[in-house]
Amino acid sequence: MDNPSDDFSGYIMQLPDDCLLFIFQHLDCGSDRESFGLTCRRWLQIQNLNRRSLQFQCSFTMLNFSSLSQTNTRISTLHLYRLLNRFQNLESLSLSGCTELPDSGLSLLPRHGSKLQSLHLDCCFGITDSGLSCVASGCSLLVILSLYRCNVTDYGLEALSNSCLALEDLNLSYCSRISDYGVRAISQNCRRLRAIRISYCRNLTGAGFQGCSQTLTHLEADYCRLEPNGIRSILSGGGIEYLSVSNLTWCTRVNGLVVISVGFAAKLRVLNFRSSRTIGDDCIMTIAKGCPSLQEWNLAICHEVKIAGWESIASHCHNLKTLHVNRCRNLCDRGLQALRNGCKRLSILYITRSSQISGVALEIFKLVRGNVEVKEEEVMCICPHGAFRF
C-alpha cells in the first residue's frame, strides 16, 4: 500500500518556482528559512535568489555582542566571490571589520552589485580608490555607504559622485586622505545627499559643501579644522537640522562660528559645540539670536561662555528644550539664574556640580523650574535618533 506522505511530498515538489517563492517569503522564522533551503538544490536556489542582505560575524553592524570576543574573521576574495555568485539579488552588504579584504574583493560588484542599496566597508583598511571604483561602476542604486577608516582619496570620491547619484547617507569619518575637492564632487553631483559624517578628516575646511543640496539635513564634523567660510558652505543649502562641530579647540578664529546664525540656519534644531573651549560670548549671543528653531544645544566644556552668553541664551532661545552645560568653568550662580528665568520651554538641563555653582543656586533652580528635569550626568552624543542609517 502506498504511503500517503510520499504522494504529498510529490505534489509539493511539483509546485512551480513562483509558488515556492511565495511560501518562502511568508516564513517569518529564520530557522524555518534555513530548513527550507536544506530541502533540495532547487529550494536552496530559491532561498539564495530571495536573500536581500548579507553580513559577517566580524561585521560591526551586527547586534551580536557575543561576537565581540571572537577573533576577526578573514574574508578572502575567493570566499566573497562565491557568496556574491550565490546571492545575486542582495540589497544590503556589510563587510565591516574585514580588515584584510583587498580591492580585488570588490571586483564582482560591477556584475552582481546592481541592486545594492546599502554597503558598509567600515575598517576595511585594504580598500582604496581602486575598490571604490568597483563600487561606483557596479552600484548605481546605492543609497547608504559607510567608508569609515578606509584608505580612499578624492579620486575615489569623484568616481563615486559620477555614478552613485542616489546616494543619501555617507560616512567618511577618519578618511584622512580626502580633501575639500572630493567632498565638493559628492555635494555637487549627489543632490539627494541627506546625512554625512566627516569627523576626524583633518584636511577638510568645509569649503567643499558650497552650493550643497537643501536635502542635506544632518552633518557631523567633529575634530575637523573647519574655517568660517567652510561652515558657511555647510549651511549654504539651507536644510541643516543637526550640526555637530565639537572639539574646535585649536581653531584660532573660532568666533567665525557666528556664520551659523547668518541666513541659512533657520531650520537648525540640534547643535553640538561640546568641548569647544575657545568659543566665546560673541559667538553664543549671535547664534542664540539667529537660530530660532534651536531645540537642543550642547555647550559642555565650553569654558569661555560667560554671563553675557548665558543671558543671551535665556533671552532668545525660546524653543530650546534641552541644554548641556556640563563642566563649564564660567557658568556661575548668576548665569544659572538667567537660565532659570528664561528658556521657558526648557525641559532637560544636563549639569555637573562645580565650584562656580553653589548648591543653593541649583536647589533654587529645581524649585522654581519644577518642570525642568535636572540631570547631573554628561551625555557624549546628542545625535537625533535615525539621523544616520549606518
Side-chain angles (χ1 to χ4, degrees):
M1 187 175 185
D2 294 337
N3 189 338
S5 63
D6 292 339
D7 293 337
F8 180 76
S9 299
Y11 292 139
I12 289 291
M13 297 306 292
Q14 293 175 21
L15 287 174
D17 287 355
D18 55 348
C19 290
L20 292 174
L21 179 60
F22 181 81
I23 293 171
F24 178 80
Q25 290 174 340
H26 283 76
L27 296 176
D28 296 327
C29 179
S31 60
D32 288 342
R33 287 179 168 240
E34 292 302 320
S35 298
F36 181 98
L38 294 174
T39 304
C40 63
R41 289 181 180 274
R42 178 176 168 227
W43 288 32
L44 177 61
Q45 180 66 8
I46 291 172
Q47 181 193 46
N48 291 342
L49 293 176
N50 195 66
R51 186 162 191 139
R52 296 294 180 264
S53 65
L54 179 65
Q55 54 187 359
F56 299 95
Q57 194 70 13
C58 59
S59 175
F60 300 151
T61 58
M62 293 187 71
L63 296 178
N64 182 2
F65 294 102
S66 63
S67 67
L68 295 178
S69 61
Q70 300 177 4
T71 57
N72 185 28
T73 304
R74 287 191 177 187
I75 307 299
S76 67
T77 298
L78 179 60
H79 187 195
L80 189 56
Y81 178 88
R82 289 173 175 170
L83 289 172
L84 291 178
N85 267 312
R86 178 180 173 184
F87 307 120
Q88 297 187 14
N89 292 315
L90 292 177
E91 296 176 358
S92 176
L93 174 63
S94 176
L95 299 171
S96 296
C98 299
T99 57
E100 298 182 13
L101 183 71
D103 288 325
S104 58
L106 303 180
S107 60
L108 264 190
L109 289 181
R111 289 176 54 193
H112 298 307
S114 62
K115 297 182 180 180
L116 273 183
Q117 298 179 28
S118 175
L119 178 62
H120 293 77
L121 298 172
D122 301 42
C123 292
C124 292
F125 304 131
I127 300 301
T128 67
D129 292 337
S130 179
L132 195 53
S133 295
C134 293
V135 173
S137 60
C139 308
S140 60
L141 298 181
L142 208 57
V143 175
I144 302 169
L145 176 61
S146 184
L147 298 171
Y148 174 83
R149 288 188 182 271
C150 287
N151 287 308
V152 298
T153 72
D154 294 335
Y155 297 107
L157 295 185
E158 188 172 25
L160 191 71
S161 70
N162 290 329
S163 301
C164 301
L165 304 182
L167 201 60
E168 295 181 8
D169 290 40
L170 179 61
N171 187 0
L172 297 174
S173 296
Y174 286 93
C175 291
S176 58
R177 301 175 66 191
I178 65 173
S179 72
D180 291 320
Y181 178 87
V183 169
R184 181 177 293 108
I186 294 290
S187 66
Q188 293 302 309
N189 294 338
C190 303
R191 303 303 289 180
R192 298 182 187 178
L193 193 64
R194 185 193 68 87
I196 185 170
R197 279 181 171 150
I198 56 171
S199 297
Y200 295 89
C201 294
R202 303 297 178 85
N203 294 325
L204 297 182
T205 68
F209 288 99
Q210 181 60 44
C212 60
S213 172
Q214 62 180 359
T215 61
L216 182 60
T217 56
H218 298 81
L219 187 143
E220 284 187 357
D222 301 329
Y223 290 89
C224 289
R225 299 182 184 276
L226 300 180
E227 296 289 338
N229 286 338
I231 295 175
R232 185 181 290 108
S233 297
I234 288 171
L235 298 170
S236 62
I240 291 291
E241 298 176 8
Y242 164 65
L243 178 63
S244 180
V245 288
S246 65
N247 289 276
L248 289 171
T249 53
W250 53 77
C251 185
T252 57
R253 301 170 59 197
V254 84
N255 274 337
L257 290 172
V258 297
V259 301
I260 290 176
S261 67
V262 182
F264 297 108
K267 296 182 180 180
L268 187 62
R269 295 186 295 108
V270 181
L271 181 58
N272 184 15
F273 278 174
R274 185 181 185 278
S275 197
S276 296
R277 294 175 174 83
T278 55
I279 290 177
D281 286 341
D282 289 343
C283 177
I284 297 298
M285 293 165 64
T286 306
I287 292 175
K289 295 175 183 177
C291 298
S293 300
L294 202 58
Q295 296 179 13
E296 182 169 5
W297 200 351
N298 190 345
L299 292 170
I301 324 179
C302 291
H303 298 318
E304 294 304 311
V305 183
K306 301 178 181 178
I307 292 175
W310 302 121
E311 290 179 342
S312 182
I313 292 172
S315 300
H316 299 103
C317 294
H318 303 299
N319 292 307
L320 195 65
K321 297 178 180 179
T322 305
L323 180 62
H324 305 252
V325 296
N326 308 84
R327 294 189 282 165
C328 291
R329 291 176 184 170
N330 282 303
L331 175 61
C332 58
D333 288 357
R334 182 177 165 187
L336 189 61
Q337 179 183 358
L339 295 176
R340 184 188 75 203
N341 296 332
C343 299
K344 298 303 181 182
R345 295 191 179 182
L346 191 67
S347 59
I348 301 176
L349 178 68
Y350 288 94
I351 188 171
T352 46
R353 294 183 181 272
S354 72
S355 59
Q356 299 297 318
I357 301 176
S358 66
V360 173
L362 189 57
E363 291 304 315
I364 292 176
F365 182 97
K366 294 178 181 179
L367 181 65
V368 175
R369 297 295 299 270
N371 60 322
V372 177
E373 184 178 3
V374 178
K375 295 188 175 185
E376 296 186 39
E377 59 187 73
E378 189 168 350
V379 175
M380 304 300 291
C381 176
I382 64 170
C383 178
H385 178 71
F388 299 95
R389 294 177 289 180
F390 36 67

